[in-house]
């Protein structure tokens, strides 16, 4: 094998490996969609066939008739969007402080802040619930959204990105008469849009699939999200795999649309963020 052919072979092997990983990842998704269009008897058979013998698109309307799935979808959008907006805003402000402001104990405080990433979320679940209960915020939107509006991973991601932005841009704005807040809003934030979009997509997807916290806080359909709604659907109607997977398929579609709409920002944010070791 010559030196010219080695890069070509290596590239083909990488492409084949990516194709193989993608195929394995998509198998459960394809199976979910196929079972969603099966009949009740076929999906509950002792020896199930993943390819439907006959297609039943009416399963879609049946799901919406059995549970208020539309309400659950709107609640999930509200919950995920609220936490995403709040965390992106708070993380940007905190990251800017750690990246640009000089104050005593900055490095020590940032290290302690990052150390909270090693604490499992289940450990803080009970204190958060007690605090929300004492504030009489059970089964309310503030009680669901506010406890998830602050995370250390967002601060770390944005801080690394802010450190890569030359200080000359900010200093030029300050020389033109801008104060620190104006320099942050008009210079830093526009340059950091890829990183902000990446954080927002990560947060939105994570909160869209969040089951534990909404299940504990939500007690009614007014605030139930899709993961909790699927659990309620299973409790009410039993394990009807075709209808349950049809509901899961419906709730997956918004995430697919979101990814395709934000793919350009998502990829650019990953490549330009501090995750590359900058």
């Amino acid at each position: 094998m010559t030196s010219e052919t080695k890069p070509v072979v290596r590239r083909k092997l990488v492409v084949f490996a990516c194709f193989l990983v993608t195929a394995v990842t998509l198998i459960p998704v394809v199976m979910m969609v196929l079972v969603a269009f099966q009949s009740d008897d076929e999906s509950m058979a002792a020896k199930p066939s993943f390819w439907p013998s006959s297609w039943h698109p009416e399963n879609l309307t049946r799901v919406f008739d059995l549970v208020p799935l539309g309400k659950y979808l709107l609640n999930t959008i509200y919950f995920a969007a609220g936490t995403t907006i709040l965390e992106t805003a708070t993380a940007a402000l905190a990251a800017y402080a750690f990246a640009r402001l000089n104050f005593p104990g900055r490095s020590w405080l940032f290290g302690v802040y990052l150390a909270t990433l090693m604490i499992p979320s289940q450990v803080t679940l009970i204190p958060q619930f007690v605090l929300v209960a004492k504030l009489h915020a059970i089964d309310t939107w503030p009680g669901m959204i506010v406890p998830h509006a602050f995370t250390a991973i967002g601060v770390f991601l944005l801080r690394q990105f802010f450190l890569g932005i030359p200080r000359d841009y900010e200093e030029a704005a300050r020389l033109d008469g801008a104060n620190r807040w104006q320099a942050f809003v008009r210079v830093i934030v526009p340059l950091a849009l890829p990183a902000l979009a990446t954080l927002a997509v990560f947060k939105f997807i994570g909160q869209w699939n969040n089951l534990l916290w909404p299940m504990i806080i939500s007690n009614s359909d007014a605030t139930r999200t899709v993961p909790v709604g699927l659990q309620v659907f299973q409790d009410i109607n039993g394990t009807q795999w075709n209808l349950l997977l049809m509901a899961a398929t419906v709730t997956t579609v918004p995430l697919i649309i979101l990814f395709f709409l934000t793919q350009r920002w998502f990829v650019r944010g990953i490549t330009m963020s501090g995750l590359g070791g900058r």
Side-chain angles (χ1 to χ4, degrees):
M1 184 180 295
T2 62
S3 58
E4 289 101 3
T5 59
K6 284 183 178 180
V8 177
V9 173
R10 190 180 300 113
R11 190 180 304 111
K12 290 182 177 180
L13 290 175
V14 171
V15 172
F16 176 75
C18 293
F19 174 80
L20 187 62
V21 171
T22 303
V24 173
T25 304
L26 290 177
I27 287 176
V29 179
V30 175
M31 291 170 57
M32 176 183 69
V33 176
L34 292 178
V35 175
F37 286 96
Q38 292 180 354
S39 64
D40 295 346
D41 295 336
E42 188 176 8
S43 64
M44 298 296 293
K47 294 182 179 180
S49 174
F50 293 109
W51 190 266
S53 58
S54 60
W55 295 84
H56 295 269
E58 69 274 8
N59 289 345
L60 179 60
T61 58
R62 291 175 62 192
V63 168
F64 281 89
D65 292 337
L66 292 173
V67 292
L69 188 59
K71 177 65 174 176
Y72 295 157
L73 286 170
L74 290 177
N75 289 346
T76 309
I77 293 174
Y78 190 76
F79 171 64
T83 53
T84 299
I85 293 172
L86 284 178
E87 184 186 348
T88 304
T90 56
L93 293 173
Y96 180 78
F98 283 121
R100 287 291 194 263
L101 303 183
N102 294 318
F103 53 90
R106 183 184 66 172
S107 300
W108 178 85
L109 181 60
F110 183 68
V112 173
Y113 199 52
L114 287 184
T116 60
L117 292 174
M118 296 184 292
I119 302 176
S121 59
Q122 292 80 2
V123 174
T124 60
L125 188 64
I126 294 178
Q128 284 181 341
F129 178 81
V130 172
L131 178 61
V132 172
K134 288 184 178 295
L135 295 174
H136 304 287
I138 300 295
D139 201 26
T140 64
W141 287 116
M144 290 184 62
I145 293 176
V146 174
H148 286 263
F150 314 92
T151 58
I153 185 63
V155 176
F156 171 73
L157 175 66
L158 295 182
R159 174 185 177 271
Q160 297 303 105
F161 193 93
F162 290 164
L163 290 176
I165 298 177
R167 292 179 178 268
D168 297 343
Y169 298 151
E170 192 175 0
E171 292 175 356
R174 298 293 298 274
L175 290 175
D176 288 339
N179 56 34
R180 188 174 292 277
W181 171 254
Q182 291 172 331
F184 170 73
V185 173
R186 298 179 182 179
V187 178
I188 301 298
V189 170
L191 292 174
L193 282 180
L196 293 172
T198 303
L199 175 62
V201 171
F202 275 132
K203 183 67 175 181
F204 190 91
I205 294 176
Q207 295 305 312
W208 184 277
N209 296 319
N210 192 340
L211 170 64
L212 187 58
W213 181 250
M215 180 179 291
I216 293 174
I217 295 298
S218 177
N219 296 327
S220 65
D221 288 339
T223 56
R224 281 191 179 125
T225 58
V226 162
V228 182
L230 294 179
Q231 183 65 44
V232 172
F233 175 86
Q234 187 174 3
D235 294 340
I236 296 176
N237 302 284
T239 308
Q240 292 181 264
W241 291 115
N242 56 339
L243 299 183
L244 184 61
L245 293 181
M246 175 60 76
T249 301
V250 172
T251 60
T252 304
V253 171
L255 293 182
I256 298 176
I257 296 175
L258 174 67
F259 176 77
F260 280 107
L261 291 177
T262 60
Q263 183 180 15
R264 178 171 63 90
W265 293 100
F266 183 78
V267 175
R268 185 182 177 191
I270 288 293
T271 56
M272 297 181 63
S273 67
L275 297 179
R278 183 172 54 200

